[in-house]
């Protein structure tokens, strides 16, 4: 607390310090030489959410009078890291997480890198593990593509 | 906000549409689904469109695969072995997750769910209570650890602590149910326990846990095993103890012992309960030889049951019916009185009772008169009712088998309708039983119904519910033949390829014979020719040099006939050369047919080469061929010389 010495007791000025939140640089891929391929999701910047992009995580806790938003965010982060690690190298795009009532639906687009039986093994493993972890039914809806769907080159 | 949301959603839909367009060749390239998906620029909807769309979601979707699998063309199985592989790999993934959850339970203890969901908490696989006490014994019994429980019981006896009769009865139940050995754990690899396994069972257990049920049943009841020993230690065995012992003995095929134990029970002036009587009735046919002796034993048991005032239940009467199967003609006369007893006692017969009844009346090889009536009556009784599985013999497969054996398509439809009533889908059983059921259904359809009805069912059930085996595809081909719809053969061939049956020799040969039999009209013949060339690719050696199918003379001639009928002389000529490379001999009519085609085209060289090939095989019709070629073709000097040489050659060899 920095206090001014001009007047006794009554005057205080406070400094609020945070880490630098680079709001202008979050979730944006900058234009480069033209050899970097980006997907639709990556190409559009966060201010396009709601206009040209949808939401990656759908739940009701941001509505008026609902609570639990922070817990949902933490769960989402965990689920995204879990999917990224379990299906390593297979994710073609960001994972979409939808919550319907008690059910947690994880929608993922995968590259056809593994055999279908291996995909099913990982799907069974993920569903079971996450159900037991979050104590709610977890379902995975998967779609596969041959290779990453490129929207443009930056 | 809402409009921008919907716009964003529309963008997402467009994105997924582009992805979908990449998979325009939709998963089911089956015969009636080979339509391309064309997304129109603009579409107007009728007033009832929404209602129609909703209505189409109510019944089963014939284009989707099983609910357990993902809805994606890459991840959908095309053959039955793929289906099994995918569902089993999903199961093994679940087992892997369960292993981790149960090995590291501390990460899964936090309980978010209100109300509490017990099945999503980690399970304890190891017994918790370590000290030698009755509570520890109860715990091990609950966890179904047979050997640990028996050890603990012995320790308790040695320590002198009395174990209550209830707990001892539970222990006896456990041992008698599992036959004195631990039930095979599914997740943990099976540990070999030398004392309790039979020597003959060991090779089977090495193969894995596939035959665990049959392992246990084959393991016979051993002399002086733990159950008998513990039973002998009991000072005052009660009804429950005797019941456990007798049922265990009957389950593991120690029938005479079971009866002697029963006499012990009577000598001790105890009453038996209904389960004991059920077990004894099941054992009765094994103990006696002649039909009437078996029946008398059963009647005696039933009389004693009445004396001891024990009410029979469904399983009792099912056991009686099952025993009557082994009683020959006596069974037929006694079956209906049993059913009326059932009705009098207001016990509803289950599917098992009807199955046993049909088995009693439809003996293989017996005369057919008066038998069809019973199946129909049974179906009259059974239609529209919802059954719950109560007896291990409940199963709808057997009903359908009866329909198949009596070739009764009406009743088969009623059986199939029965599956749609209430809870009856549970009676279909697991995947193997389901396959058997549908295989029987399809063979009956192929035999009895005309092709349009058959194809309607085919479209509905294949491949979303059932992946036909190659035998069923052969039946289907025969049905096509009977109804003279051979033009559908190329589409069926596509399905056969997709199902993975393209390398079955018999099936492919049947297909070729059907195609080659008659000459069809132009476009059908063209499609046949394409199909034949496709089949030829199947016969070629695979990339690693392994030979899948081997050519026979008939299959080669069939392909050549099909190609010749479609005027594809060049391809036919190449296949003719395959005769030599694969050491097969062409037939006379084939060579004549070929010669006629060559005459139409007027290729003299080919004619001469044909004669040379025929001479190479030393066929008896070579001279006739030579004559025909000499008469009908304009030959050059060289060719005339070749032909006269050949003539002399064949003349000499005669």
């Amino acid at each position: 607390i920095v206090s001014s010495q001009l007047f006794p007791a009554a005057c205080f000025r406070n400094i609020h310090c945070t880490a630098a939140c680079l709001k202008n640089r979050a979730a944006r891929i900058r234009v480069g030489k033209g050899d970097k391929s980006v997907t639709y999701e990556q190409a559009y910047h966060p201010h396009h959410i709601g206009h040209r992009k949808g939401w990656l995580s759908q739940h009701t806790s941001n509505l008026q009078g609902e609570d639990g938003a922070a817990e949902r965010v933490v769960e989402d982060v965990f689920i995204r890291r879990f999917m990224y690690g379990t299906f390593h190298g297979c994710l073609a795009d960001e994972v979409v997480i939808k919550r319907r009532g008690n059910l947690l639906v994880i929608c993922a687009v995968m590259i056809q890198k593994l055999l279908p039986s291996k995909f099913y093994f990982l799907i069974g493993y993920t569903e079971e593990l996450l159900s037991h972890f979050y104590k709610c039914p977890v379902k995975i809806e998967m779609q596969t593509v041959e290779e990453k769907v490129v929207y443009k080159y930056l | 906000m809402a409009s921008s949301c919907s716009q964003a959603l529309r963008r997402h839909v467009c994105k997924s549409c582009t992805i979908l367009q990449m998979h325009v060749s939709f998963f089911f390239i089956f015969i009636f689904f080979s339509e391309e998906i064309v997304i129109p620029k603009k579409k107007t909807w009728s007033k009832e469109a929404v209602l129609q769309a909703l209505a189409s979601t109510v019944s089963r979707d014939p284009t989707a695969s099983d609910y357990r699998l993902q809805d994606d063309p890459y991840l959908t199985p095309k053959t039955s072995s793929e289906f099994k592989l995918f569902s089993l790999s999903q199961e093994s993934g679940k087992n892997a997750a369960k292993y981790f959850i149960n090995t590291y339970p501390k990460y899964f203890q936090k309980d978010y769910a209100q109300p509490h969901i017990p099945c999503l908490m980690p399970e304890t696989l190891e017994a918790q209570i370590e000290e030698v006490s009755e509570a520890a014994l109860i715990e091990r019994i609950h966890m179904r650890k047979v050997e640990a429980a028996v050890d603990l019981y012995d320790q308790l006896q040695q320590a002198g602590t009395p174990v209550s009769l209830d707990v001892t009865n539970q222990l006896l139940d456990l041992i008698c149910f599992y036959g004195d050995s631990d039930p095979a754990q599914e997740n943990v690899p099976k540990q070999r326990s030398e004392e309790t396994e039979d020597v003959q069972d060991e090779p089977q257990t090495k193969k894995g846990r596939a035959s665990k049920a049959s392992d246990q049943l084959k393991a016979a009841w051993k002399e002086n095993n733990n159950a008998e020993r513990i039973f002998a230690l009991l000072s005052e065995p009660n009804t429950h103890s005797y019941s456990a012992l007798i049922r265990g003995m009957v389950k593991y095929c120690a029938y005479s012992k079971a009866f002697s134990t029963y006499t012990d029970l009577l000598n001790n002036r105890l009453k038996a309960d209904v389960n004991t009587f059920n077990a004894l009735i099941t054992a009765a046919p094994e103990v006696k030889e002649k039909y009437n002796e078996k029946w008398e034993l059963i009647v005696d048991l039933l009389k004693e049951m009445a004396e001891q005032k024990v009410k029979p239940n469904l399983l009792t009467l099912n056991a009686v019916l099952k025993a009557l199967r082994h009683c020959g003609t006596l069974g037929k006369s006694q079956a209906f009185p049993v059913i009326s007893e059932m009705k009098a006692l207001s016990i509803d017969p289950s599917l098992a009772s009807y199955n046993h009844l049909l088995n009693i009346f439809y003996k293989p090889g017996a005369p057919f008169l008066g038998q069809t009536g019973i199946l129909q009556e049974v179906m009259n009784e059974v239609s529209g009712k919802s059954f719950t599985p109560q007896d291990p013999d409940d199963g709808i497969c057997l009903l359908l088998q009866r329909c198949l054996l009596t070739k009764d398509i009406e009743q088969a439809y009623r059986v199939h309708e029965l599956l749609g009533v209430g809870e009856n889908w549970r009676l279909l059983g697991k995947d193997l039983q389901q396959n058997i059921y549908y295989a029987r259904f399809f063979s009956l359809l192929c035999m009895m119904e005309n092709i349009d009805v058959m194809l309607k069912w085919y479209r509905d059930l294949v491949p979303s519910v059932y992946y036909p085996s190659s035998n069923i595809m052969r039946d289907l081909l025969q049905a096509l033949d009977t109804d003279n719809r051979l033009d559908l053969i190329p589409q069926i061939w596509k399905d056969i390829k997709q199902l993975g049956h393209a390398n079955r020799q018999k099936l492919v040969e049947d297909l070729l014979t059907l195609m080659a039999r008659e000459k069809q009209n132009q476009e059908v013949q063209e499609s046949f020719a394409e199909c034949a060339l496709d089949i030829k690719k199947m016969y070629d050696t695979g990339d690693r040099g392994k030979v899948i199918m081997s050519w026979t003379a008939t299959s080669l001639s069939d392909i050549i006939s099909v190609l010749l009928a479609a005027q594809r002389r060049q391809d036919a000529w190449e296949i003719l050369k395959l005769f030599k490379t694969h050491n097969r001999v062409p037939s006379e009519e084939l060579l004549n047919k070929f010669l006629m085609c060559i005459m139409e085209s007027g290729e003299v060289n080919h004619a001469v080469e044909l004669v040379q090939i025929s001479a190479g095989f030393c066929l008896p019709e070579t001279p006739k061929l030579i004559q025909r070629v000499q008469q009908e073709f304009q030959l050059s000097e060289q060719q005339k010389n070749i032909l006269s040489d050949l003539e002399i050659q064949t003349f000499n060899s005669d």
Side-chain angles (χ1 to χ4, degrees):
Chain A
I1 301 177
V2 171
S3 59
S4 162
Q5 290 298 329
L6 289 175
F7 298 103
C11 244
F12 286 100
R13 286 253 180 99
N14 301 334
I15 297 180
H16 185 191
C17 301
T18 63
C21 307
L22 297 169
K23 289 185 296 184
N24 301 329
R25 301 198 67 97
R28 284 160 218 263
I29 298 191
R30 303 269 152 179
V31 174
K33 282 224 170 66
D35 53 351
K36 197 169 30 180
S37 63
V38 285
T39 61
Y40 188 94
E41 196 67 48
Q42 293 163 329
Y44 285 103
H45 297 160
H47 61 266
H48 289 128
I49 292 180
H51 303 270
R52 301 186 198 177
K53 293 207 294 189
W55 281 264
L56 288 179
S57 169
Q58 296 173 5
H59 54 84
T60 57
S61 48
N62 282 328
L63 297 174
Q64 166 87 348
E66 301 285 338
D67 56 357
E71 285 90 2
R72 302 293 92 78
V73 170
V74 174
E75 285 170 19
D76 284 357
V77 171
F78 179 84
I79 291 172
R80 282 176 211 285
R81 286 189 187 216
F82 188 87
M83 293 297 286
Y84 181 70
T86 315
F87 295 88
H88 197 80
C90 295
L91 278 177
D93 208 346
E94 295 283 338
V95 170
V96 173
I97 301 178
K98 304 182 189 177
R99 286 180 177 76
R100 293 178 201 143
N102 196 19
L103 180 64
L104 189 67
V105 182
I106 302 176
C107 311
V109 184
M110 301 277 172
I111 307 175
Q112 290 168 3
K113 196 171 132 177
L114 301 173
L115 286 176
S117 53
K118 296 203 203 287
F119 269 124
Y120 277 110
F121 179 86
L122 291 174
I123 289 173
Y125 166 77
T126 314
E127 284 187 354
E128 191 72 15
L129 201 78
L130 289 178
S131 307
H132 281 253
F133 195 58
Y134 285 123
K135 311 291 179 224
C136 63
V138 173
K139 295 250 178 299
I140 292 190
E141 286 178 10
M142 187 179 281
Q143 186 187 356
T144 54
V145 285
E146 307 236 327
E147 42 188 51
K148 258 195 185 181
V149 185
V150 176
Y151 181 67
K152 62 185 185 185
Y153 290 90
L154 287 180
Chain B
M1 164 76 167
S3 61
S4 58
C5 263
S6 60
Q7 257 185 26
L9 283 171
R10 237 176 283 149
R11 292 300 151 102
H12 255 261
V13 165
C14 282
K15 182 163 91 167
S16 52
C17 270
T18 45
I19 295 178
L20 197 63
Q21 260 174 328
M22 287 183 190
H23 301 276
V24 157
S25 55
F26 215 56
F27 149 62
F28 281 119
I29 320 176
F30 265 73
I31 48 175
F32 299 103
F33 294 115
S34 48
E35 303 134 21
E36 291 267 316
I37 296 184
V38 177
I39 299 181
K41 285 206 166 52
K42 187 179 167 72
K43 183 143 186 168
T44 48
W45 301 99
S46 72
K47 293 215 178 82
E48 297 90 30
V50 176
L51 288 175
Q52 280 170 353
L54 285 174
S56 71
T57 61
V58 170
S59 54
R60 192 180 66 83
D61 180 10
T63 58
S65 63
D66 199 60
Y67 68 93
R68 287 172 276 188
L69 305 175
Q70 298 288 327
D71 187 16
D72 182 70
Y74 182 67
L75 295 176
T76 325
K78 303 202 179 38
T79 71
S80 66
S81 48
E82 271 186 23
F83 173 74
K84 215 167 155 187
L85 178 67
F86 294 171
S87 34
L88 285 178
S89 37
Q90 192 161 5
E91 276 304 310
S92 68
K94 291 202 166 97
N95 289 339
K98 280 209 183 79
Y99 169 74
F100 280 112
I101 295 165
N102 292 332
T103 325
Y104 303 100
K106 66 178 189 226
Y107 299 114
F108 297 91
Q109 298 290 1
K110 189 159 180 197
D111 196 8
Y112 301 98
Q114 279 163 2
H116 179 69
I117 304 177
C119 70
L120 289 179
M121 300 298 285
E123 289 171 5
T124 39
L125 288 177
E126 298 301 322
Q128 302 289 77
I129 310 178
E130 285 303 324
E131 76 259 358
V132 178
S133 73
E134 203 167 305
L137 183 59
I138 296 179
E139 195 192 3
R140 277 162 184 74
I141 294 176
H142 276 304
M143 296 176 93
R144 308 282 185 259
K145 291 181 185 296
V146 178
E147 296 179 11
V150 171
D151 286 336
L152 195 64
Y153 183 80
D154 289 334
Q155 284 178 349
L156 280 172
Q157 289 289 61
Q158 279 173 353
T161 359
V163 186
S164 69
L165 192 57
D166 277 336
V167 179
T168 323
N169 281 342
Q170 285 181 19
L171 181 64
L172 275 176
D173 274 337
L174 185 72
I175 301 176
C176 293
F177 185 77
Y178 286 113
D180 212 9
S181 56
D182 266 324
Q185 296 288 337
E186 283 164 21
N187 305 347
V188 180
K190 186 164 167 126
Q191 275 117 21
R192 303 250 315 273
S193 46
E194 283 83 15
E195 321 84 56
T196 45
E197 295 287 345
D198 260 350
V199 177
Q200 301 137 317
D201 286 343
E202 272 177 359
Q204 283 163 336
T205 49
K206 271 194 197 131
K207 270 192 223 135
R209 42 208 98 92
S211 52
K212 73 168 156 59
S214 47
D215 273 350
Q216 289 177 338
L217 288 178
K218 281 193 187 112
W221 186 261
K222 291 170 217 39
E223 292 286 332
N224 295 330
N225 64 4
N226 287 325
E228 293 184 10
R229 184 170 59 86
I230 294 177
F231 186 77
L233 288 175
L234 280 176
S235 51
E236 318 169 336
N238 72 351
T239 311
H240 194 130
S241 339
Y242 272 106
S243 154
L245 198 64
I246 293 179
R247 289 166 81 188
M249 284 174 177
V250 171
K251 181 171 177 182
Y252 289 98
C253 311
Y255 300 118
S256 31
K257 272 202 167 189
F259 274 99
S260 45
T261 320
Y262 178 63
T263 20
D264 279 343
L265 174 124
L266 291 177
N267 289 343
N268 285 348
R269 279 181 285 275
L270 288 172
K271 291 194 184 300
D273 66 351
V274 71
N275 295 321
T276 324
F277 278 111
N278 290 347
L280 287 171
I281 294 177
T282 327
E286 313 287 340
V287 179
K288 301 282 183 186
E289 290 296 325
K290 291 195 175 166
Y291 294 158
N292 46 358
E293 282 181 23
K294 293 183 194 181
W295 179 242
E296 279 169 16
L297 184 54
I298 295 178
V299 171
D300 285 338
L301 282 171
L302 289 171
K303 284 201 192 121
E304 283 175 33
M305 217 170 153
E307 275 173 45
Q308 297 186 17
K309 307 241 187 319
V310 177
K311 277 201 74 96
N313 67 2
L314 173 66
L315 295 172
T316 323
L317 293 162
N318 278 349
V320 174
L321 282 173
K322 196 169 178 181
L324 280 176
R325 281 166 61 175
H326 300 286
C327 285
T329 44
L330 194 60
K332 289 193 195 175
S333 53
Q334 297 295 335
F336 281 118
V338 173
I339 301 277
S340 9
E341 272 287 321
M342 247 187 189
K343 298 260 173 68
L345 289 166
S346 56
I347 302 176
D348 280 324
S350 75
L351 267 194
S353 348
Y354 292 116
N355 280 336
H356 294 317
L357 201 65
L358 288 171
N359 269 327
I360 295 174
F361 280 95
Y362 286 86
K363 282 284 185 307
F368 236 56
L369 305 167
Q371 284 187 353
T372 45
I374 300 193
L375 183 58
Q376 208 161 9
E377 281 182 36
V378 166
M379 285 315 299
N380 288 343
E381 281 284 322
V382 158
S383 332
K385 285 201 207 150
S386 174
F387 291 95
T388 48
Q390 284 159 337
D391 186 310
D393 285 323
D394 269 339
I396 209 159
C397 247
L398 291 164
L399 269 183
L400 196 67
Q401 188 189 23
R402 196 51 58 197
C403 296
L404 177 64
L405 291 174
T406 51
K407 300 198 181 15
D408 197 341
I409 191 75
E410 294 286 325
Q411 307 305 325
Y413 281 140
R414 290 172 85 178
V415 172
H416 197 67
E417 266 172 64
L418 186 62
L419 266 189
V421 177
E423 297 278 309
N424 289 352
W425 58 269
R426 291 178 204 273
L427 297 170
L428 198 49
K430 301 193 73 158
D431 292 329
L432 182 64
Q433 290 289 323
Q434 246 186 334
N435 274 347
I436 297 177
Y437 175 85
Y438 282 112
R440 287 178 184 161
F441 190 56
F442 269 104
S443 17
L444 193 56
L445 278 176
C446 286
M447 257 197 286
M448 304 295 293
E449 286 283 356
N450 73 351
I451 195 65
D452 294 318
V453 176
M454 170 71 215
L455 286 175
K456 180 177 83 75
W457 279 107
Y458 184 80
R459 224 179 305 154
D460 195 36
L461 291 175
V462 171
S464 47
V465 173
Y466 172 59
Y467 297 92
S469 62
S470 59
N471 289 335
I472 302 290
M473 296 313 282
R474 284 174 66 198
D475 286 345
L476 182 62
L477 285 176
Q478 277 193 354
L480 283 180
D481 190 18
T482 328
D483 271 334
N484 220 3
R485 289 297 305 274
L486 293 176
D487 51 315
L488 289 174
I489 286 187
Q491 289 165 326
I492 302 280
W493 168 245
K494 268 204 221 126
D495 290 349
I496 291 178
K497 262 203 303 189
Q498 192 164 16
L499 285 169
H501 293 314
N503 52 4
R504 309 263 180 204
Q505 187 126 357
K506 283 225 74 150
L507 180 60
V508 174
E509 284 176 11
D510 280 350
L511 195 76
L512 284 172
T513 326
L514 275 181
M515 282 202 296
R517 230 178 29 194
E518 300 153 357
K519 195 166 158 72
Q520 314 279 348
N521 66 10
Q522 186 57 28
E523 38 179 74
V524 178
Q525 200 63 45
E526 267 304 307
S527 55
F528 277 10
E530 293 293 325
C531 195
L533 286 174
D534 207 20
I535 295 179
K536 170 174 175 287
K537 282 194 217 124
M538 288 287 137
Y539 272 96
D540 292 335
T541 52
D543 357 310
R544 269 158 279 168
K546 59 177 172 136
V547 177
I548 318 166
M549 294 193 290
S550 52
W551 287 107
T552 62
T554 20
S555 51
L556 281 169
S557 353
D558 287 334
I559 289 196
I560 294 181
S561 331
V562 171
L563 288 171
L564 285 179
Q567 316 292 331
R568 302 243 189 144
R569 267 178 285 278
Q570 192 50 37
D571 299 317
W573 191 247
E574 284 169 31
I575 298 189
L576 193 61
K577 300 212 183 94
L578 282 179
F579 268 107
K580 190 75 188 187
T581 43
H582 289 269
N583 289 332
R584 303 270 179 259
V585 182
S587 67
E588 173 181 344
E589 36 181 301
L590 180 69
L591 290 173
N592 283 332
K593 234 192 272 183
F594 218 113
L595 193 60
M596 283 204 300
C597 278
I598 295 180
M599 280 197 287
E600 284 171 26
S601 73
E603 287 274 332
V604 190
N605 290 334
H606 278 181
V608 176
E609 277 185 48
L610 186 71
V611 177
Q612 282 177 322
I613 291 176
S614 154
F617 281 111
C618 298
L619 292 173
E621 50 268 11
T622 318
K624 285 184 241 146
L625 279 178
I626 295 177
Q627 277 182 351
R628 280 182 71 186
V629 172
Q630 283 173 334
Q631 282 168 356
E632 295 174 24
F633 281 95
Q634 296 280 22
L635 297 167
S636 68
E637 272 306 314
Q638 200 189 12
Q639 288 162 341
K640 280 195 197 143
N641 286 340
I642 298 175
L643 279 181
S644 40
D645 283 341
L646 283 176
E647 216 174 343
I648 299 171
Q649 239 181 354
T650 51
F651 192 66
N652 285 341
S653 62
D654 273 342

